[in-house]
Amino acid sequence: MALGSMGRVPGLLSPVQRLRTLRVAAGITALALLVTLQATALWRFPIAGVKPDLVLVTVAVWSARRGVREGTITGFLAGLLLELYSGAPFGTTTTAMTVVGFCTAVGETNLLKSNLLLPGVLVPAATLLYDVLFLFLLASQQFPVDWLATLQLVVLPSMLVNLAVMPAVYYAVTRYERLLRPPLDLGV
């Protein structure tokens, strides 16, 4: 059996590549479970009559902690998974969630690593951005949108409820992120 250029069997993943692949698979699985939970069970537990959008809050917090690349990819995947449960035209949820993942990315600045105040600003802003963009996309496809009523009765309460659940999501994301952190290479 011929060995590849790195002393490995061709076609097999290195341990580092295997670990990265497992981390990506675990992240997609966790996101799919969160989307399924939100779409099937969470509507039964409204806060002040409003269903928290855990997927949106998770995308905003993850994006803010991990940066543009991971935030945009996570937003895209979350939007695509939400499309499975959405009655909106295909692509509406994916587009809005991808934009949120991109726009909430401040992770490269390391401001969010130890600051709980920044997500407290980002999550309501992300909720507003997502909802307004979603409504705009619906309106652009000839769906009737009552902007004022929707902003007052849906968007504003959603911003407050998402802000209320943000500390729990922030804690869960930081714990999950610690699990994904690569082990230290001590050269032993």
Side-chain angles (χ1 to χ4, degrees):
M1 182 180 274
L3 293 178
S5 63
M6 302 293 282
R8 301 182 343 240
V9 176
L12 294 180
L13 297 175
S14 72
V16 171
Q17 290 171 325
R18 264 196 315 269
L19 185 60
R20 284 186 187 141
T21 303
L22 287 173
R23 287 177 178 164
V24 168
I28 292 171
T29 302
L31 194 57
L33 289 172
L34 184 61
V35 165
T36 303
L37 173 72
Q38 178 171 306
T40 60
L42 211 55
W43 64 272
R44 294 176 188 235
F45 306 104
I47 299 173
V50 179
K51 175 189 67 136
D53 194 341
L54 293 183
V55 175
L56 174 66
V57 175
T58 302
V59 166
V61 171
W62 185 262
S63 176
R65 289 189 60 84
R66 303 292 290 196
V68 172
R69 182 170 181 256
E70 287 190 34
T72 305
I73 291 169
T74 302
F76 175 77
L77 290 174
L80 204 56
L81 290 168
L82 283 169
E83 294 283 0
L84 299 173
Y85 299 100
S86 175
F90 185 77
T92 306
T93 306
T94 304
T95 302
M97 196 64 75
T98 303
V99 170
V100 166
F102 177 79
C103 290
T104 56
V106 294
E108 285 89 1
T109 63
N110 287 329
L111 289 173
L112 190 68
K113 299 293 182 186
S114 62
N115 186 352
L116 194 59
L117 184 60
L118 188 57
V121 173
L122 280 178
V123 167
T127 304
L128 179 65
L129 174 63
Y130 175 82
D131 287 339
V132 168
L133 183 55
F134 188 86
L135 291 172
F136 171 77
L137 292 170
L138 285 178
S140 69
Q141 296 175 44
Q142 307 304 317
F143 284 84
V145 174
D146 184 353
W147 285 92
L148 186 58
T150 305
L151 289 171
Q152 287 177 339
L153 301 174
V154 177
V155 177
L156 184 59
S158 293
M159 291 169 63
L160 297 174
V161 167
N162 287 347
L163 180 60
V165 299
M166 183 274 304
V169 172
Y170 181 85
Y171 176 76
V173 166
T174 56
R175 296 289 295 173
Y176 186 74
E177 191 178 29
R178 283 189 196 128
L179 289 173
L180 296 180
R181 192 173 293 140
L184 293 175
D185 183 15
L186 301 177
V188 178

